[in-house]
Amino acid sequence: MKNFRILLIPFILTISACGWFKQPPEIGKVLSEHFKNKIYKDFDTVAYDSVFVKTLDSLNNAFVNPKTIKAFYASHHSQPKLVTKFFVDGGLDSLSQYLQNSTIHGFNPKVFKTQEIRNLLEQLSANTFKKVEESYPVIARLELLSANAYLNYTNYLKFGVVNPRNLFSRYYIKVKRPDSVGMIKLLDSEHILDTLRAVQPKSAQYRALQTAYLNASSEDEKRILSLNMERYRWKLPETGENYVQVNIPDFKLTWFDKQDTLISMKVCVGGKREAGYEDKLKAFAKSGNLDDKPKNHETPLLFSKINSIQANPIWNIPVSIAQSEIYWMARKDPYYLSNSNIKVYYKDKLIGEPDTINWNKYSRDKLPFKFKQGSGGGNALGKFKFIFDNGSSIYLHDTNNKNGFNLANRAISHGCVRIEKPLEFAELLVKDPYTYDKLRAEVDLPPVDSTHNKWYKKRMAAKADTTKSFQLKPAWFGPKKPVPLIITYLTAWSQNDKIEYRPDIYGLDEKLWAAMKKFR
């Protein structure tokens, strides 16, 4: 008997602490007082718990976050927390109203089971149950559907309905996603209406797109606006108020400082992947033949910080370009490499006369050489390269071919971003007249400040001295401070109180639209 009492003490402490098994429980008190109905004083927690578990099992597969919901109610002894706190004060009515109005965000209220929640609220409000146990299925279902809808609605608005990193192979921007800690905190909220208000997107861009969406008559226009509203819901890294943005569909770089634009210029971005890319990639995986390898030069989406400028850059030619282009050009013209200022390395040693290489001895898929294009006017990177950390060997750079900026479709590069005004961009980055004039001198431009003429004259004299061998080399410069850079993909945005639209050059809208199908 003594041992039994010892075992019983923890059990008594547990049920006393949780308060759920008190007679009547909190839900019984709340409903009894609200409806002036005595049946709720007989609320049986054990009987309700049985109904709740069965209801949870029946709905579990339809939930987006079933583990989190299960964990929350397991830790609260299956108590109907939301109904207890928010039925009488109108919080659940507010939730159903927000769900019904989710069309303003491009959602279909059906995805939240809005009508069923409203029906359950009406059933409970009707106060027509003859016995308290008749209310258990209604309360349990209302609790769980409300919890699921509340989590989904807030998560979709705070983080977006799609994780772009799971959808797009070249999306390298880290995005925050919902976690169980945050969701349990939401379910434990004391002020559901405050949360619903706070979660509404507040950015000027989102609101402008939302207004246009509500006013649009064309389904195609609504589709584009909806897709870009979703992009603005993704929780991206903080850029701060001073940052550089490259928008791929717009073929444009813009440097923002708060509400002002410091500079804007055309860019050329990576070319679109080959038609039928996925199928061709599978064929290449089977054959291993480079002739079967499809081309994909699409510029990746990323976030980083510009940390250095290289004047008179050297181009370390990627293996893919060496195999697909340099190899064939060298076979066709033995003097192509020397005429293009391209140096060839074998086991990291420079080959003195690359024009003598017998390319017939080497297959392009097993080239033992590395290729580097030296500094100078013919360099594909032009006179400047702007470097930022990323895993794709992508950078912003000048170009020796300015004609590309005259094209309407400027998706023509191998993946890096060619910029139209590199010198002006460099000036904004260094933010120092002394450093800027040093940079100008490296590319044979006279200084802006005439007191710095000495550098320029010294350099030009060295280049003109035929008794010495002048070698053009890269020179490094640091920006005043690293500048955030985001390479993004927007096909609709607000500019000067007008919505701008751009073509979906990479087909990412189409892919995103398919992924969002179940939310429409």
Side-chain angles (χ1 to χ4, degrees):
M1 179 62 72
K2 183 178 180 181
N3 289 338
F4 174 73
R5 285 199 300 269
I6 292 172
L7 291 172
L8 190 61
I9 289 171
F11 175 73
I12 294 171
L13 290 174
T14 300
I15 63 174
S16 298
C18 74
W20 171 232
F21 296 101
K22 289 179 180 178
Q23 293 295 331
E26 188 66 22
I27 183 66
K29 290 179 181 178
V30 167
L31 296 181
S32 177
E33 290 176 10
H34 177 66
F35 290 120
K36 309 299 182 190
N37 191 332
K38 293 180 180 180
I39 67 167
Y40 291 107
K41 290 184 178 180
D42 298 326
F43 200 100
D44 185 337
T45 56
V46 175
Y48 170 80
D49 185 70
S50 176
V51 172
F52 180 87
V53 170
K54 289 178 182 176
T55 306
L56 179 57
D57 287 343
S58 70
L59 294 172
N60 186 64
N61 291 337
F63 288 166
V64 176
N65 298 285
K67 290 182 179 178
T68 300
I69 291 175
K70 273 190 172 181
F72 175 78
Y73 286 103
S75 68
H76 289 84
H77 307 283
S78 304
Q79 297 177 64
K81 300 286 284 185
L82 299 184
V83 175
T84 302
K85 288 190 287 188
F86 304 124
F87 173 70
V88 172
D89 74 358
L92 291 184
D93 289 308
S94 296
L95 172 63
S96 75
Q97 193 60 50
Y98 272 92
L99 299 177
Q100 189 63 40
N101 292 338
S102 63
T103 52
I104 67 173
H105 299 290
F107 302 144
N108 186 337
K110 289 182 179 179
V111 305
F112 304 109
K113 293 192 179 295
T114 305
Q115 190 56 53
E116 185 172 356
I117 291 172
R118 293 170 76 96
N119 292 343
L120 290 166
L121 282 168
E122 289 174 6
Q123 273 186 269
L124 190 55
S125 298
N127 191 28
T128 56
F129 301 119
K130 301 299 182 185
K131 298 179 181 178
V132 68
E133 54 263 30
E134 293 174 4
S135 71
Y136 298 162
V138 174
I139 294 172
R141 197 167 183 87
L142 175 61
E143 176 73 20
L144 288 167
L145 289 180
S146 296
N148 183 58
Y150 176 46
L151 288 183
N152 293 346
Y153 179 82
T154 52
N155 285 341
Y156 294 165
L157 289 186
K158 284 180 69 176
F159 304 99
V161 301
V162 170
N163 183 345
R165 289 172 66 86
N166 293 340
L167 186 62
F168 304 115
S169 61
R170 294 200 173 190
Y171 195 100
Y172 301 133
I173 304 172
K174 290 183 178 179
V175 291
K176 290 184 180 178
R177 298 297 298 164
D179 58 53
S180 58
V181 174
M183 287 188 277
I184 285 175
K185 189 176 178 181
L186 278 173
L187 292 174
D188 241 345
S189 172
E190 295 297 325
H191 307 284
I192 192 171
L193 184 55
D194 289 347
T195 302
L196 292 168
R197 287 171 177 161
V199 81
Q200 302 303 310
K202 296 174 179 60
S203 79
Q205 279 291 342
Y206 188 93
R207 288 185 172 184
L209 290 173
Q210 190 176 39
T211 300
Y213 176 82
L214 295 173
N215 293 330
S217 55
S218 159
E219 286 302 315
D220 190 53
E221 185 180 9
K222 291 181 76 171
R223 178 181 66 85
I224 297 169
L225 291 164
S226 174
L227 290 168
N228 288 280
M229 285 162 64
E230 168 68 1
R231 290 184 172 113
Y232 277 106
R233 286 191 290 261
W234 295 336
K235 206 155 192 176
L236 308 180
E238 290 292 332
T239 59
E241 294 183 320
N242 188 290
Y243 66 98
V244 174
Q245 174 183 287
V246 173
N247 183 13
I248 291 173
D250 192 28
F251 304 119
K252 190 166 286 186
L253 176 151
T254 308
W255 189 329
F256 295 102
D257 185 13
K258 297 178 183 176
Q259 300 301 317
D260 298 326
T261 297
L262 296 184
I263 194 170
S264 182
M265 66 188 75
K266 296 177 181 178
V267 299
C268 297
V269 298
K272 178 178 170 58
R273 64 176 62 182
E274 279 187 32
Y277 177 82
E278 301 294 343
D279 292 335
K280 290 178 181 178
L281 198 61
K282 291 176 183 176
F284 169 65
K286 289 182 179 179
S287 70
N289 188 335
L290 279 179
D291 291 331
D292 294 333
K293 187 176 182 181
K295 292 180 181 178
N296 181 6
H297 297 310
E298 293 179 358
T299 297
L301 308 183
L302 55 84
F303 173 80
S304 188
K305 290 186 177 182
I306 301 171
N307 52 47
S308 59
I309 307 165
Q310 191 180 49
N312 300 313
I314 288 175
W315 183 29
N316 295 305
I317 300 174
V319 173
S320 59
I321 297 177
Q323 291 175 333
S324 62
E325 297 179 24
I326 304 299
Y327 174 79
W328 294 116
M329 296 298 290
R331 287 193 62 165
K332 183 178 178 181
D333 178 4
Y335 301 108
Y336 166 76
L337 296 170
S338 56
N339 289 340
S340 303
N341 194 20
I342 295 176
K343 294 179 173 58
V344 184
Y345 296 81
Y346 178 75
K347 294 183 178 179
D348 294 327
K349 291 184 178 180
L350 178 65
I351 295 176
E353 296 184 13
D355 302 336
T356 62
I357 296 173
N358 183 359
W359 296 101
N360 293 320
K361 290 172 58 179
Y362 306 101
S363 63
R364 67 188 180 108
D365 58 335
K366 295 181 180 179
L367 280 178
F369 307 110
K370 291 181 181 178
F371 302 85
K372 295 183 180 184
Q373 188 174 41
S375 304
N379 190 288
L381 305 185
K383 294 181 179 180
F384 299 101
K385 179 167 74 170
F386 304 91
I387 299 167
F388 44 90
D389 294 335
N390 68 94
S392 304
S393 300
I394 296 295
Y395 37 83
L396 309 180
H397 66 87
D398 182 20
T399 176
N400 61 0
N401 181 7
K402 308 292 187 182
N403 293 329
F405 297 115
N406 298 322
L407 301 173
N409 185 339
R410 297 191 287 277
I412 57 175
S413 82
H414 287 98
C416 288
V417 179
R418 306 173 191 172
I419 66 174
E420 182 187 24
K421 304 172 184 176
L423 187 63
E424 292 93 325
F425 190 62
E427 182 179 12
L428 282 172
L429 281 170
V430 298
K431 283 188 177 178
D432 175 66
Y434 179 88
T435 306
Y436 178 57
D437 275 350
K438 291 281 284 185
L439 182 145
R440 287 174 63 90
E442 286 295 331
V443 295
D444 300 339
L445 291 173
V448 175
D449 185 343
S450 59
T451 62
H452 299 155
N453 273 334
K454 184 171 66 174
W455 310 326
Y456 178 65
K457 290 179 179 178
K458 184 178 179 181
R459 179 181 178 84
M460 297 310 290
K463 286 189 74 174
D465 188 352
T466 57
T467 64
K468 295 181 180 179
S469 176
F470 176 86
Q471 187 176 0
L472 192 63
K473 295 180 180 179
W476 293 86
F477 298 87
K480 197 73 173 179
K481 64 178 181 179
V483 178
L485 166 73
I486 185 163
I487 300 179
T488 188
Y489 195 96
L490 298 169
T491 52
W493 69 94
S494 175
Q495 185 173 314
N496 299 325
D497 299 322
K498 175 188 172 187
I499 301 297
E500 295 285 340
Y501 296 93
R502 295 296 183 272
D504 178 23
I505 59 169
Y506 287 170
L508 302 191
D509 274 8
E510 185 180 341
K511 197 166 187 177
L512 180 56
W513 188 242
M516 291 176 65
K517 183 178 181 179
K518 61 183 178 182
F519 305 101
R520 307 200 300 264

